[in-house]
Amino acid sequence: MTTDPLVLYGQSFASRLLLGTARYPSPAVLQAAVQRARPAMVTASLRRQGINATNAGNSFWELLKSLAVPVLPNTAGCHSVQEAVTTAQMAREVFDTPWIKLEVIGDDYTLQPDTQQTVEAAAILIKDGFQVLPYCTEDLVQCQRLIDVGCQAVMPWAAPIGTGRGPMNPYALQLLRERLNVPLLVDAGLGLPSHAAQVMEWGFDGVLLNTAVALSQDPVAMAGAFADAVAAGRAARLAGAMEQHSSAQPSTPVLGTPFWHHDKAQA
């Protein structure tokens, strides 16, 4: 086990990357991408991928089991508290896990989460024994309310799902890191490995990706690039960046350094 694990709800993970399983060109590419990235968990949606308690032996479910990576079911596609709670309970039965990525969508165009219903659903699921990782915006108040109802980690977006635009509100994201004392994972909107490295340098504890890998020209190579970027960003955060300055600072010391002056050589 790594000396710097990601710890969520008391469980340690060697990787700080979580990887989605949708929209890959083929099952074989998905499998290879997961093997290359070696994520902490892979996400799966019952509603969007057609998994349920009666056909849990289908090919996709068999593929998930073959990956030998913990599964994080999600409630993608839910628009109400009741939908999300029911889907989470079904997921617990199918995947035999208390983990759930909670999504309650409030707007179909931006896929922005419903702030009020997400908190309500989280409170119900926490009381029901779930380990909830809620998808939310970078809104500080909503994140604090999710923590108040028992969430031990929150997952704010960097930008709307699938846009690949990277962090659109750096100030708000960095403020979350300064104010909240729980694991923070950026979920949604990252498009480049440099985006992942950046949020990790800000102090985020991990990232969750899907589209940026699945829809790239080479998902396997991109999965590896993101895994490397997450690790590099975390290492940079732990190393401590130099202080920024408004003017140039010499990188080579002058005082005490011997120089051979041409005019002295001719004296």
Side-chain angles (χ1 to χ4, degrees):
M1 178 62 70
T2 178
T3 57
D4 179 39
L6 170 64
V7 180
L8 301 172
Y9 288 90
Q11 184 170 336
S12 297
F13 300 90
S15 174
R16 293 176 177 273
L17 172 65
L18 286 69
L19 197 61
T21 56
R23 307 184 72 182
Y24 286 81
S26 70
V29 172
L30 166 60
Q31 185 174 34
V34 171
Q35 290 172 343
R36 173 62 183 86
R38 302 178 65 184
M41 290 189 272
V42 293
T43 65
S45 169
L46 272 71
R47 294 173 65 88
R48 290 181 176 169
Q49 290 163 315
I51 305 171
N52 58 51
T54 61
N55 70 354
N58 64 24
S59 58
F60 182 74
W61 173 227
E62 293 299 324
L63 174 60
L64 289 182
K65 291 192 291 185
S66 74
L67 297 176
V69 176
V71 176
L72 174 64
N74 68 43
T75 63
C78 293
H79 290 77
S80 70
V81 172
Q82 188 56 56
E83 273 189 302
V85 170
T86 300
T87 301
Q89 292 169 339
M90 291 176 57
R92 180 166 58 183
E93 179 181 351
V94 170
F95 295 109
D96 190 26
T97 178
W99 291 97
I100 194 73
K101 175 190 170 183
L102 174 62
E103 296 184 29
V104 184
I105 300 302
D107 179 69
D108 285 329
Y109 181 75
T110 62
L111 297 181
Q112 181 169 330
D114 185 307
T115 56
Q116 181 176 345
Q117 293 199 87
T118 298
V119 173
E120 292 177 10
I124 294 170
L125 293 172
I126 290 289
K127 290 179 181 179
D128 195 22
F130 282 90
Q131 294 169 342
V132 180
L133 298 178
Y135 160 65
C136 56
T137 68
E138 72 277 29
D139 184 280
L140 174 62
V141 174
Q142 184 197 14
C143 290
Q144 186 60 65
R145 287 176 176 167
L146 288 165
I147 295 168
D148 290 343
V149 300
C151 293
Q152 296 182 25
V154 293
M155 301 201 300
W157 70 0
I161 293 174
T163 61
R165 298 176 65 89
M168 296 186 65
N169 194 341
Y171 170 77
L173 287 172
Q174 292 177 75
L175 182 63
L176 290 182
R177 182 66 289 169
E178 293 173 9
R179 295 287 301 277
L180 302 180
N181 192 30
V182 299
L184 299 175
L185 293 83
V186 170
D187 175 17
L190 302 181
L192 297 170
S194 57
H195 297 156
Q198 183 176 54
V199 297
M200 295 300 294
E201 290 168 3
W202 291 343
F204 280 79
D205 298 276
V207 301
L208 193 157
L209 305 162
N210 191 162
T211 309
V213 172
L215 297 189
S216 66
Q217 294 183 27
D218 186 341
V220 178
M222 188 62 77
F226 268 105
D228 294 343
V230 168
R234 177 63 178 178
R237 174 70 177 187
L238 295 178
M242 62 168 283
E243 181 182 353
Q244 294 186 0
H245 301 278
S246 58
S247 60
Q249 303 289 323
S251 58
T252 302
V254 175
L255 185 63
T257 302
F259 288 92
W260 182 262
H261 294 286
H262 180 71
D263 56 340
K264 290 184 178 180
Q266 294 182 349

